[in-house]
């Protein structure tokens, strides 16, 4: 089971899922566009293992920025 909130990103996962579902169900007449980006950071696990999770969090934030 997924945690309701991601501590690093502060994303409320259930709210995100609800909003994404709502946006994707919009009718063509509403002229709305939806984009979702999922990023997998290859090599982040060794950073966490070697330097600790705070270093991994820093890498994550720098990539997001």
């Amino acid at each position: 089971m997924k945690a309701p909130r991601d501590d690093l990103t502060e994303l409320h996962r259930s709210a995100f899922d609800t909003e994404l579902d709502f946006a994707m169900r919009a009718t063509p007449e509403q002229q709305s566009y939806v984009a979702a980006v999922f990023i997998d950071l290859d090599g982040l696990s060794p950073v966490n293992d070697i330097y600790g999770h705070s270093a991994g969090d820093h890498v994550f934030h720098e990539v997001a920025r």
Side-chain angles (χ1 to χ4, degrees):
M1 182 167 120
K2 291 191 279 187
R5 182 176 153 282
D6 183 86
D7 290 334
L8 179 59
T9 63
E10 298 182 6
L11 172 68
H12 293 269
R13 292 179 176 147
S14 62
F16 173 79
D17 291 344
T18 300
E19 290 296 321
L20 182 61
D21 184 59
F22 178 77
M24 290 176 67
R25 292 176 188 271
T27 63
E29 294 81 22
Q30 292 172 311
Q31 297 183 357
S32 61
Y33 298 93
V34 177
V37 178
F38 294 91
I39 298 173
D40 181 17
L41 298 178
D42 291 337
L44 187 61
S45 184
V47 171
N48 286 333
D49 294 343
I50 296 168
Y51 301 105
H53 288 275
S54 61
D57 291 353
H58 180 74
V59 170
F60 181 83
H61 282 285
E62 285 300 310
V63 170
R65 190 169 66 142

